[in-house]
Amino acid sequence: MTIKGLATTESTAVPDTLPRRWAPEHTDSTHTAEVTKHLDNVLPALESLRSQSGRLGEWGTELAKRLLSGQRLLAAGNGGSAAEAQHLTAELVGKFDEERAPFSAISLHAESSAVTALSNDYGYEEVFARQVRAHGRVGDVLILLSTSGRSPNLLKAARAAKERGITTWALTGAGPNPLADACDQAVTVDAVSANAQEGHLIAIHAVCRAFDAEVARRAGSYGAATSGGGQP
């Protein structure tokens, strides 16, 4: 049997011709112009982050104080933002540059059994909020990543965190947006979606840089205070 545009069998349907967009064209097959345009669009993302470098430094410093005091970081995102959030937690549990102690940081989306169970039982909008209620404690930090700033599951997670006395930070694309407004603080990257997401990785590394600097400073202060005690 033939359906317009398709050659079919009893169990499958496959195109009988290539779509026009797949046809060979006599143009720049390397798409250099598109690549250059993409790379040029990184610059607005970087400039946007530079204008908020103070806040990124504050986040890293505050996170070090909290995690050194026994609090933890919770993180969540969807899709590429999930990967970025998990990058951050890996840096904290592992290390960024220099060797140091591990710190408690959990990516909520990485809990695959919990995510699928909660999605099935409560709906996908609740997958992070319920985990925040389970794992979060007063004084913890929840960081939520979204290029759109409109993901319902992240907005519900932010509300759940506030109910528990958990500090909320948002790392989003261009603002204003609902997630940035829902969180205690936000860093908004004024760039198109793909480049905003690339900016998020730079922001994460900047936070880690400040985090490690504060951990090292406090370790040095402790060492100075406990070594020698004024002895010659």
Side-chain angles (χ1 to χ4, degrees):
M1 180 178 73
T2 300
I3 300 175
K4 184 177 181 181
L6 295 176
T8 66
T9 65
E10 290 183 357
S11 59
T12 61
V14 296
D16 58 7
T17 59
L18 286 175
R20 286 191 60 168
R21 63 188 178 86
W22 290 349
E25 296 178 358
H26 300 292
T27 59
D28 178 8
S29 61
T30 63
H31 302 290
T32 303
E34 290 300 316
V35 171
T36 301
K37 179 180 178 181
H38 178 85
L39 295 176
D40 287 345
N41 284 336
V42 174
L43 299 177
L46 183 58
E47 287 304 314
S48 182
L49 287 172
R50 284 178 65 88
S51 70
Q52 300 170 87
S53 59
R55 172 151 291 177
L56 292 171
E58 290 169 1
W59 281 8
T61 304
E62 181 63 24
L63 194 59
K65 293 177 183 177
R66 303 243 188 149
L67 270 57
L68 283 166
S69 298
Q71 307 303 135
R72 66 166 53 123
L73 174 72
L74 304 178
N78 296 291
S81 294
E84 301 282 21
Q86 200 163 342
H87 188 125
L88 172 59
T89 58
E91 300 281 24
L92 296 175
V93 176
K95 65 176 183 176
F96 182 54
D97 278 334
E98 303 299 325
E99 190 61 55
R100 57 156 166 73
F103 292 92
S104 181
I106 301 172
S107 289
L108 302 180
H109 53 270
E111 295 287 333
S112 57
S113 293
V115 166
T116 52
L118 296 174
S119 296
N120 188 60
D121 294 343
Y122 300 99
Y124 193 65
E125 291 186 5
E126 292 292 333
V127 293
F128 300 137
R130 192 166 178 88
Q131 289 187 79
V132 167
R133 296 186 188 103
H135 300 304
R137 302 293 183 268
V138 173
D140 287 350
V141 175
L142 172 68
I143 185 166
L144 302 169
L145 287 78
S146 170
T147 55
S148 71
R150 300 180 182 280
S151 301
N153 55 7
L154 299 180
L155 291 167
K156 288 199 170 187
R159 288 194 287 270
K162 289 201 170 186
E163 293 167 3
R164 292 294 193 274
I166 298 166
T167 298
T168 53
W169 297 340
L171 189 54
T172 74
N177 59 71
L179 185 61
D181 292 341
C183 290
D184 295 315
Q185 293 185 358
V187 169
T188 60
V189 182
D190 191 10
V192 297
S193 181
N195 298 108
Q197 194 164 85
E198 292 159 351
H200 289 177
L201 178 57
I202 296 172
I204 285 167
H205 282 169
V207 169
C208 288
R209 188 76 64 191
F211 179 93
D212 276 14
E214 180 64 13
V215 169
R217 186 189 73 81
R218 287 173 173 258
S221 297
Y222 176 79
T226 57
S227 62
Q231 298 296 319

